[in-house]
Amino acid sequence: MMPRIHLANGFTLVELAIVLGIVALLLTGLVVSVSAQLDLQRLSETRATLDNTREALLGFAAANGRLPCPASSTSNGQESFASGGSTSNGLCSNFYNGFVPAATLGLTPTDGNGFLLDGWGARIRYAVDNSTINGVTNPFTRQDGMKTATMASIEATAENSSGGLLFVCSSSAGITAVNCGSTAGTVTVTRKTPAVVYSTGKNTATGGVAGTNVDEAANPNPNSANNDRVFVHHEPAAAGAGGEYDDIMTWLSLPVLFNRMMSAGRLP
């Protein structure tokens, strides 16, 4: 009797291709999911760092009677005064286009040069108002400058229709005015903040320091397309030219700053 030969059943090439396709789809979905989770984590870390920075600025003001100057690109995370500048005149080297003075404030995480970093490893920006108020130049960065200028005068300047402190805008048309402007789709979020802190977001790595969007490019002031004191906090996805807008911003509330300094005996 002839022995029975058992043929092993196997996958056809078509079946193997289908299986490999399914595995590839599953792996792609896993990679996308992990990438999305990392971005959410970095966004959360960045927001926490911005919140910590805001609290540190309030604490510094309560302890010193002024806000620190922004760091310059060469100050290694220390606040940077201009030539001839000091705490007595508050003259900073980079009022609007500087960085968080992390070394001065004792903040982390920082890079090897002492600059505060967001979740994507980019340096976090910081701007402070340098208006002249009630005859006092640079009242926010001058020792006891806010006290000398008086809270009433600072508030009046912030409320003045032709004045204001730093402007934070939400824009669907781009910002080119000396304030948030009145263009349809543009809203003034606040005109009463003495300081703004912001991350240039994920696209910093691929789009340069300012990102690729026109309003992102305007945020690290000064620049020719925008007034120094105007910052864009939010832009609808379809707005602006040049790509995605993803800057993340926070700012100091003037009443909160006053309250914190009054509690510390620095005001009135």
Side-chain angles (χ1 to χ4, degrees), residues 10-11 23 45 49 53 74 76 92 103 144 184 209 227 234 247 250 257:
F11 290 108
V23 171
E45 290 171 355
T49 300
T53 302
T74 59
N76 296 320
C92 303
D144 294 324
V209 171
N227 180 265
H234 171 72
D247 286 7
T250 190
L257 175 62

Side-chain angles (χ1 to χ4, degrees), residues 4-41:
R4 293 182 179 180
I5 298 176
H6 296 279
L7 298 176
N9 293 325
F11 290 108
T12 67
L13 291 177
V14 173
E15 290 171 330
L16 283 173
I18 292 173
V19 171
L20 290 174
I22 292 172
V23 171
L25 286 173
L26 291 174
L27 289 175
T28 300
L30 179 62
V31 170
V32 171
S33 177
V34 170
S35 178
Q37 288 297 321
L38 284 174
D39 280 341
L40 286 174
Q41 178 181 340

